[in-house]
Amino acid sequence: MTQTATDGTSDGSAGTLEERRHGEVDRPSSALAKFQNDPLPLDAGIALPTWQIAYQTYGTLNDTRSNAVLLCHALTGDQHAANRHPVTGRPGWWDNLVGPGRPVDTDVFFVICANVLGGCSGTTGPASIDPTTGHPYGLTMPVVTVADMVRAQHRLIERLGIERLFAVVGGSMGGMQVLEWGATYGKKVFAALPIATGTRHSSQNIAFHEVGRQAVMADPDWRGGRYLDEGTKPKKGLSVARMAAHITYVSEAALHRKFGRALQDREVVTYGFDADFQIESYLRHQGSTFVDRFDANSYLYLTRAMDYFDLAAEHDGLVANAFRGSETRWCVVSFTSDWLFPTTESRRIVHALNAAGADVSFVEIETDKGHDAFLLEEPEFHRAVRGFLTGAARAHGIAPPAPAPAPAP
Amino acid sequence: MTQTATDGTSDGSAGTLEERRHGEVDRPSSALAKFQNDPLPLDAGIALPTWQIAYQTYGTLNDTRSNAVLLCHALTGDQHAANRHPVTGRPGWWDNLVGPGRPVDTDVFFVICANVLGGCSGTTGPASIDPTTGHPYGLTMPVVTVADMVRAQHRLIERLGIERLFAVVGGSMGGMQVLEWGATYGKKVFAALPIATGTRHSSQNIAFHEVGRQAVMADPDWRGGRYLDEGTKPKKGLSVARMAAHITYVSEAALHRKFGRALQDREVVTYGFDADFQIESYLRHQGSTFVDRFDANSYLYLTRAMDYFDLAAEHDGLVANAFRGSETRWCVVSFTSDWLFPTTESRRIVHALNAAGADVSFVEIETDKGHDAFLLEEPEFHRAVRGFLTGAARAHGIAPPAPAPAPAP
């Protein structure tokens, strides 16, 4: 089911899917902000002297520069939220939510989505070439944190000449970035929408990430992280990591509804280790396609950043301290069947915001689709996003979209 | 933390822990029932012509042979339920539940525990020598099912001259065997105690097992299953498999209580991929110690047997059909925080037994310890087991234990 297409894409580039993906690491088909000898200080105590951030924009920045919305992507996302992906040609990962007339309305807002620091789609990460050696960083790239990602995004926003964002929106690891934006650059965020996220990674979540990292590092083709230099790729390990993680993105109910114990293209079990069950075939497919589109070291770095995220620890043990004096309008969203970031985690955010006296609303969406619901066509969720952003836009003095012309009689 | 002890054990054997473990595969330090040219028919449609089953017993069979209790072990268990393990010297895995005066009282009952078919502690499994080739079976061993395991146990019970078991008791995969005993040999089981189990493996459970199998098979040292012949061992893959599985055996609450986000022997995170968090260190330890004590192919076979288990499918789509006319006394036990076999699965068993008109009681134990609670010191659970077995023993005419002598004044 995986394509090994060698046809060129719209930009005329050629090569295998994997080669074209890898081409995006240093020379992405995206807008690029380069920071040369313009150090980015990192939580690890080091600074990246030269670095870059790749991003996409949608819509038009208004004259007062007051309509910018920053989207923050999740662990395995990228900057291609609402455009065709330059390599796969597929719609963006938030195409159903972002666009003209959609809940994040690009007729009204100027939408920015940047690849995170540590990623592998054009922003500096472990697969990028270290300018001091001419070789990929690999594990010599400093470990980054969610706060580092946000610090890099803030530099991008400054460079774009945007003094204050209208809104920051993101789910899962993207939601962690939203919280970090509100905590660190609160005065520069009018509205914030953290979705399916938490103020810290739980013990169980760290455990799942650790299984994934060990799977990658157990693969002899990982080569201590130097696989790009050595011409190998830890495909099997990364595939196992993705399979384990994928289970956590969906609910037991959704798996039962979608697959149950249905067999894959057969009437009876084979008494062997082929993918007898559809769920096995599905998971294997998730693993093998992921390997084509993601860098293994990036996976280590970004899971680590999530594990390290702990807003309370950053603020004297109290999440509420992160939000004292917050003038941001908050809307926190959770999904009933999300067991990676259950509603209890969202309530913890809401309680902290309330304790800090912030303006916060909370929406729990009833769905059986699990954590990944924030990426799916989920009408109640889309209504909540639209409602929150419309209300905030009005309060912020951003012109609503022109009403659709009446149909011809 | 793992021992590579080379000291002899009580039986005077020498060698590394791993060598001694492997020595148990064909020549176990247990009672052994050998079936030579005495075929065991398997669900896969083949028969094992020559096979063996290794077992331990505790207590004394009474004159009427009416006090035999069969314990069925879980995925990674063995026959050493209540004796010191011949290799590790550690207490048996159900030592807290089984023994003189304990809930499964060896002063009253004659307790039998056999290593399952497909296992690696003396009963025929993929690590055993195939007598027709002189080499380990590896993947040439037919895939076995829970029904096959029970068929083998039934042959053992016959050989021991036991016409009818007083009780069959087991948790998790052991509970599946209890259900299978009740369904297939119901007239030979007076009382049955399935614990933390289900009538079929769910899609999510199959998914976790598939991740584990893929981790093992991704390890180049697995060698297509021929690692024993080739002198390798898929340690890293099996370790990752165990880590992933272990997460499912404990509850999120227990992980949070035990580990939270506590760091391992350090004050601050290291910005690296060492085990910064205690949960990481704990999981790695679970993985590395498991590799010493278990055969990788056995892990594939036994997870497959659990995946295949589906009592309804075996009985025209209706679990109740499995129990029609059952004269067995049933007690079904679940644990509130078990997310591998949640209470809903136990209720499904109870409903089926009720629909079949069977005598069934149901106990849900309130605990935050997750699936593994059945192996732990859990007083309410122990009281339930004791109560059920005592009542059934009375009804079965088995003499209760002599009351303890009054303490000297």
Side-chain angles (χ1 to χ4, degrees), chain B residues 13 20 55 76 102 114 137 181 228 234 290 299 306 329 374:
Chain B
S13 65
R20 286 186 279 132
Y55 64 99
T76 68
R102 302 223 167 118
Y137 277 105
W181 263 99
L228 288 175
F290 182 62
Y299 194 75
M306 289 181 78
R329 290 178 167 226
F374 79 94

Side-chain angles (χ1 to χ4, degrees), chain A residues 210 213 276 280 284 308, chain B residues 210 213 276 280 284 308:
Chain A
E210 174 66 2
R213 285 190 295 263
D276 274 357
E280 295 177 297
R284 290 183 190 186
Y308 278 175
Chain B
E210 174 65 3
R213 286 190 295 264
D276 274 359
E280 296 177 296
R284 290 184 190 185
Y308 278 174

Side-chain angles (χ1 to χ4, degrees), chain A residues 205-224:
Chain A
N205 289 358
I206 296 172
F208 276 114
H209 275 174
E210 174 66 2
V211 167
R213 285 190 295 263
Q214 291 295 320
V216 169
M217 297 195 282
D219 189 326
D221 285 337
W222 181 61
R223 304 286 169 100

Side-chain angles (χ1 to χ4, degrees), chain B residues 258-279:
Chain B
K258 249 177 120 168
F259 304 109
R261 295 180 47 83
L263 300 180
Q264 179 72 30
D265 303 331
R266 60 201 68 183
E267 295 290 314
V268 289
V269 298
T270 60
Y271 297 101
F273 298 103
D274 283 349
D276 274 359
F277 296 101
Q278 286 179 10
I279 175 66

Side-chain angles (χ1 to χ4, degrees), chain A residues 43-45 139 142-145 148 200-208 210-211 213-215 217-220 236-237 240 243-244 247-248 250-252 255-256 259-261 269-277 279-281 283-284 297 300-301 303-304 306-310 339 345 348, chain B residues 43-45 139 142-145 148 200-208 210-211 213-215 217-220 236-237 240 243-244 247-248 250-252 255-256 259-261 269-277 279-281 283-284 297 300-301 303-304 306-310 339 345 348:
Chain A
D43 282 350
L139 295 198
V143 164
V144 299
T145 64
D148 293 333
R200 60 177 181 28
H201 230 203
S202 72
S203 198
Q204 190 181 63
N205 289 358
I206 296 172
F208 276 114
E210 174 66 2
V211 167
R213 285 190 295 263
Q214 291 295 320
M217 297 195 282
D219 189 326
K236 289 182 173 177
V240 168
M243 289 172 67
I247 301 174
T248 70
V250 286
S251 71
E252 206 279 332
L255 284 178
H256 181 69
F259 304 109
R261 296 180 46 85
V269 298
T270 62
Y271 296 101
F273 298 103
D274 284 349
D276 274 357
F277 296 101
I279 176 65
E280 295 177 297
S281 172
L283 269 191
R284 290 183 190 186
N297 284 337
L300 302 184
Y301 276 69
T303 54
R304 204 51 163 162
M306 290 181 78
D307 291 354
Y308 278 175
F309 188 65
D310 188 346
W339 60 279
E345 295 296 316
R348 186 189 303 268
Chain B
D43 283 350
L139 295 197
V143 164
V144 299
T145 64
D148 293 333
R200 60 172 181 32
H201 229 202
S202 73
S203 199
Q204 192 182 63
N205 289 358
I206 296 172
F208 276 114
E210 174 65 3
V211 167
R213 286 190 295 264
Q214 290 294 320
M217 298 194 283
D219 189 328
K236 288 182 174 179
V240 168
M243 288 172 68
I247 300 174
T248 69
V250 285
S251 71
E252 205 278 334
L255 284 179
H256 181 69
F259 304 109
R261 295 180 47 83
V269 298
T270 60
Y271 297 101
F273 298 103
D274 283 349
D276 274 359
F277 296 101
I279 175 66
E280 296 177 296
S281 172
L283 270 190
R284 290 184 190 185
N297 284 336
L300 303 183
Y301 276 69
T303 55
R304 204 47 163 165
M306 289 181 78
D307 291 353
Y308 278 174
F309 187 65
D310 187 347
W339 60 280
E345 295 296 316
R348 187 190 303 268

Side-chain angles (χ1 to χ4, degrees), chain A residues 354-382:
Chain A
N354 277 329
D359 175 352
V360 56
S361 59
F362 172 48
V363 186
E364 185 186 28
I365 308 288
E366 179 82 33
T367 172
D368 81 346
K369 290 178 189 155
H371 182 65
D372 264 0
F374 79 95
L375 297 170
L376 303 174
E377 196 70 54
E378 191 66 51
E380 202 196 328
F381 165 55
H382 283 198

Side-chain angles (χ1 to χ4, degrees), chain B residues 66-190:
Chain B
S66 65
N67 69 335
V69 173
L70 179 68
L71 305 181
C72 302
H73 71 72
L75 178 60
T76 68
D78 56 28
Q79 67 271 38
H80 304 290
N83 55 278
R84 287 210 168 268
H85 197 282
V87 177
T88 63
R90 290 204 194 124
W93 54 270
W94 239 354
D95 193 62
N96 58 33
L97 191 80
V98 181
R102 302 223 167 118
V104 181
D105 191 342
T106 53
D107 287 338
V108 182
F109 305 121
F110 175 63
V111 176
I112 308 159
C113 186
N115 186 216
V116 294
L117 194 70
C120 52
S121 297
T123 296
T124 301
S128 306
I129 298 294
D130 176 352
T132 64
T133 66
H135 289 272
Y137 277 105
L139 295 197
T140 67
M141 165 100 186
V143 164
V144 299
T145 64
V146 170
D148 293 333
M149 296 172 190
V150 168
R151 205 173 293 123
Q153 288 162 1
H154 179 245
R155 296 281 289 276
L156 169 67
I157 299 306
E158 283 186 326
R159 180 165 292 189
L160 295 177
I162 295 165
E163 186 57 37
R164 192 183 189 200
L165 290 164
F166 163 63
V168 188
V169 181
S172 196
M173 187 182 86
M176 291 177 167
Q177 294 163 59
V178 175
L179 296 177
E180 188 69 34
W181 263 99
T184 306
Y185 304 105
K187 297 212 182 308
K188 299 191 169 189
V189 179
F190 183 78

Side-chain angles (χ1 to χ4, degrees), chain B residues 2-53:
Chain B
T2 50
Q3 285 188 313
T4 51
T6 51
D7 55 312
T9 50
S10 53
D11 64 351
S13 65
T16 65
L17 189 69
E18 199 182 322
E19 283 163 359
R20 286 186 279 132
R21 288 270 190 206
H22 188 68
E24 294 289 312
V25 169
D26 289 297
R27 287 173 306 282
S29 320
S30 292
L32 200 56
K34 291 194 178 201
F35 297 80
Q36 223 135 14
N37 298 313
D38 188 356
L40 180 72
L42 302 176
D43 283 350
I46 334 173
L48 276 181
T50 289
W51 55 286
Q52 67 181 33
I53 188 164

